[in-house]
Every structure is written in structure tokens, then in C-alpha cells.
Amino acid sequence: MVFKRLFGGGIPLEVDTIIEPGPVRPGGMLRGEVVVRAPERDLEIESISLRLLANAPLFHKGDGDGAGSGETVGHPHASGWFKLRKGQEKRVPLKFRLRWETPVNELRGEGLGVLIGVSTEVDAAGVKAQTDMDPVRVEALPLHEAVLDAFVAEGYALDGARVYGSSIDEVERHLYTWQGFRLVRPEPAEGRLAQLELTFHTNAVGSEIFLRKLAGKSKYWADKPPALRYVAAHHEVGTRDFAADVRTWLDEVAVLKSTERDED
């Protein structure tokens, strides 16, 4: 257990956030606990909440300066008011269902280059502070895996992913983020683009799937090349021929016109 000391000076508090091991998927439950301890004096804890962040540095200095940057993809709430006696330790359960739109940072145990973590925010004695980041593993859904497998079968390799702090145009959304998966083709082939960007906009039923040329450095959806839109349901995994679908999608995206520059 590694406590992180908050507040400093006259209002010391030690906090350790423990996330259950193993990955969680979008739509699944993030579980853990927040352990707080008052080493020097009685404290009144007004609230304990957390921010689930993507693209935030995962510092572990323990000095409580981890407010940092990043894209907020969830606001788990752990506790309301309680009193903590000097030397007392309290364990506060954490249980939070991830939104279906939550970005992922793992595919079958392999990292995708996306940092996701939680920062614990404590309001005590009228002072607010927050810990450095604790990493969270968010695993791709079976639907994501099935579609990506179909692209691999067509000669593409997954070259990581990126989370953008903006929104997809003209879709119903709950988060101001979207995630692009980079697909590259090591071997050139006639009628196939060398670099693609694949995006899943997911809900409880399935995903809107967007495919386009990988180009443009802007984070804004409208500044990117035009994208084709398809749909797939979670329950179709194992019965739908995604390989045939992907071949059709690749034919269609290859004829889209774009004047954007290729991304570095």
C-alpha cells in the first residue's frame, strides 16, 4: 500500500487509491477502494470523488500535485461527509460503471499507447486537493476485436490509438472525446490506402464505425478527411462476416477524395 500525502502543512491527510487488478471494458464496472488516513489530527472529510482521465501523465511522486491535464471520461463518486479521527484509517468502496464511449488502452493485453487513470480528489477542512494518477486498464470490446481482426486479415497492422479532446459531428454523445485507431499497411496493394483511421462510437447496442484516410493533425473531427459510416451490433460478433464487410469498406474508402496531408 502506497499512501500519497495531501494538503501538507497544517492539514495532513494520506490517501491510497486501489483499483482492482485486471482490465475493465467500456460498459463494465470499475471497482476498487480509496483508503484514507489522518496521521496527525482529527479531520472532517467533506467528500471523496475521482476523475477518470485519458491522455494524462501518470505521476507517482505522492506530493498531491497531480491535477494535471487530460480528457475527462468519467466522474466516479466515492463518499460524502465523514469524520476521521487522528490515526484512524478508513476504506471507502469505489464502484463506477464506465460509459460505453470510454476510450480503451488495451487490445488482448497489448497496450495501445493511450494513458488512462484515475485521480482522487479530496475535500477536507475546506481545502481541496487531488492525488497523482493511478493507472486503469480499459480493454477493447469483442466487437472492436472482431472488426480489427478483419482489417488484420486484409493486410493491415494496428499501429496504436489516439484519444482526441473533441466530438464526432452529428452523433449522440456523452463524452467530449473520440478515439482513432491507426491502421497501416506494410505491403502496398492496388486499391488499398496505406494508412487508415478507424473509430468506434459505441453504445449499449453496438457501434457506429467510421473509416477514413489517416491524415490531418487537427484534433477536430471536421478538419479530418471525410469518413464513411457503418453500424454493427454487439450480438453480431461470431455470426456476422466482418471480413466481407471490411473488404467492401476498403473498396469504398479508397475512392473518397481528400486534400488533407498525411499525418506524421
Side-chain angles (χ1 to χ4, degrees):
M1 186 175 295
V2 180
F3 282 98
K4 300 169 184 177
R5 189 179 179 90
L6 301 185
F7 302 113
I11 314 177
L13 179 68
E14 294 177 342
V15 178
D16 185 31
T17 302
I18 303 168
I19 305 298
E20 285 191 0
V24 61
R25 282 175 163 158
M29 197 70 70
L30 180 67
R31 302 177 189 272
E33 62 180 5
V34 180
V35 186
V36 293
R37 186 168 64 189
E40 299 179 17
R41 52 170 281 191
D42 294 354
L43 285 176
E44 291 187 2
I45 309 299
E46 300 294 336
S47 67
I48 299 175
S49 58
L50 297 92
R51 290 178 67 205
L52 182 64
L53 296 165
N55 296 343
L58 300 180
F59 297 121
H60 292 283
K61 295 180 294 183
D63 55 9
D65 67 349
S69 58
E71 313 300 338
T72 300
V73 294
H75 285 282
H77 181 75
S79 172
W81 183 93
F82 64 89
K83 191 162 186 175
L84 199 61
R85 301 292 183 184
K86 177 181 176 180
Q88 182 183 3
E89 179 179 292
K90 182 176 178 65
R91 294 175 176 264
V92 180
L94 168 64
K95 184 179 178 182
F96 175 71
R97 186 172 298 282
L98 300 186
R99 291 194 180 276
W100 287 98
E101 299 165 38
T102 303
V104 303
N105 59 2
E106 279 192 15
L107 177 68
R108 297 192 178 100
E110 295 293 326
L112 296 174
V114 175
L115 295 175
I116 300 178
V118 293
S119 178
T120 306
E121 301 178 338
V122 182
D123 184 351
V127 179
K128 291 185 179 181
Q130 87 184 53
T131 68
D132 301 322
M133 296 289 296
D134 292 284
V136 174
R137 297 168 58 194
V138 184
E139 187 177 45
L141 290 160
L143 178 56
H144 301 156
E145 295 174 351
V147 174
L148 288 166
D149 285 348
F151 278 97
V152 171
E154 287 300 308
Y156 286 87
L158 176 59
D159 187 31
R162 179 180 293 184
V163 177
Y164 296 90
S166 63
S167 61
I168 301 174
D169 295 343
E170 299 180 353
V171 299
E172 181 181 358
R173 63 173 178 85
H174 300 93
L175 298 176
Y176 192 67
T177 59
W178 60 275
Q179 183 171 25
F181 292 84
R182 298 166 176 264
L183 298 170
V184 298
R185 188 178 185 89
E187 299 295 331
E190 185 178 355
R192 294 289 184 258
L193 295 175
Q195 297 180 322
L196 297 168
E197 183 177 65
L198 180 70
T199 297
F200 299 93
H201 184 66
T202 304
N203 57 32
V205 176
S207 288
E208 294 177 84
I209 300 169
F210 297 90
L211 182 66
R212 61 176 157 205
K213 179 182 178 181
L214 178 61
K217 295 182 178 181
S218 174
K219 71 178 182 179
Y220 297 106
W221 186 267
D223 293 339
K224 299 278 188 173
L228 295 175
R229 174 186 173 274
Y230 307 96
V231 294
H234 297 298
H235 73 265
E236 293 179 307
V237 175
T239 59
R240 179 168 168 175
D241 187 354
F242 285 110
D245 289 334
V246 164
R247 287 192 291 271
T248 299
W249 301 350
L250 288 170
D251 290 339
E252 293 173 347
V253 76
V255 300
L256 282 179
K257 293 183 179 180
S258 173
T259 60
E260 299 290 335
R261 294 177 300 170
D262 286 345
E263 195 165 17
D264 292 340

